[in-house]
Amino acid sequence: MNSAINFNGLNYEFHPIANIFPLIEGQAFQDLMADVLKHGVREPVWVYEGKILDGRNRYRAAKTMRVACPMQEYTGNDPTAFVVSLNLHRRHLNESQRG
């Protein structure tokens, strides 16, 4: 899947691995939705085993704002390391959340 999707009737579940990081909420999510509405989704949402592996917040924002969302299929052999690598340093996590 390397193309924009239309959300009419499409609902992706979140892969359990994706849930090792918390979703953003509140003002941070409002800001993301505004950015997605203005600029679109700039980074693809990664899908593995038919579920969202990385990009849950981008997916939620795109779906809420009814904006196309690029999707990319993960084909590597270590999805957990992939998710950690993409997320660990770009998030504002406290020490216990990083653990």
Side-chain angles (χ1 to χ4, degrees), residues 1-7 12 36 39-47 52 54-55 58-59 62 67-73:
M1 282 182 214
N2 193 7
S3 60
I5 64 165
N6 177 329
F7 291 111
Y12 283 86
V36 163
H39 302 289
V41 177
R42 296 178 185 222
E43 295 292 325
V45 169
W46 290 90
V47 177
I52 293 175
D54 178 72
R58 294 187 302 276
Y59 169 81
V67 172
C69 186
M71 308 291 276
Q72 179 80 34
E73 185 74 30

Side-chain angles (χ1 to χ4, degrees), residues 32-81:
L32 177 60
M33 287 191 300
D35 188 74
V36 163
L37 184 60
K38 183 174 182 179
H39 302 289
V41 177
R42 296 178 185 222
E43 295 292 325
V45 169
W46 290 90
V47 177
Y48 177 63
E49 298 177 337
K51 297 178 181 176
I52 293 175
L53 181 63
D54 178 72
R56 296 170 304 154
N57 295 305
R58 294 187 302 276
Y59 169 81
R60 290 169 50 223
K63 188 168 183 176
T64 300
M65 304 312 290
R66 299 179 185 263
V67 172
C69 186
M71 308 291 276
Q72 179 80 34
E73 185 74 30
Y74 173 76
T75 58
N77 59 6
D78 193 346
T80 301

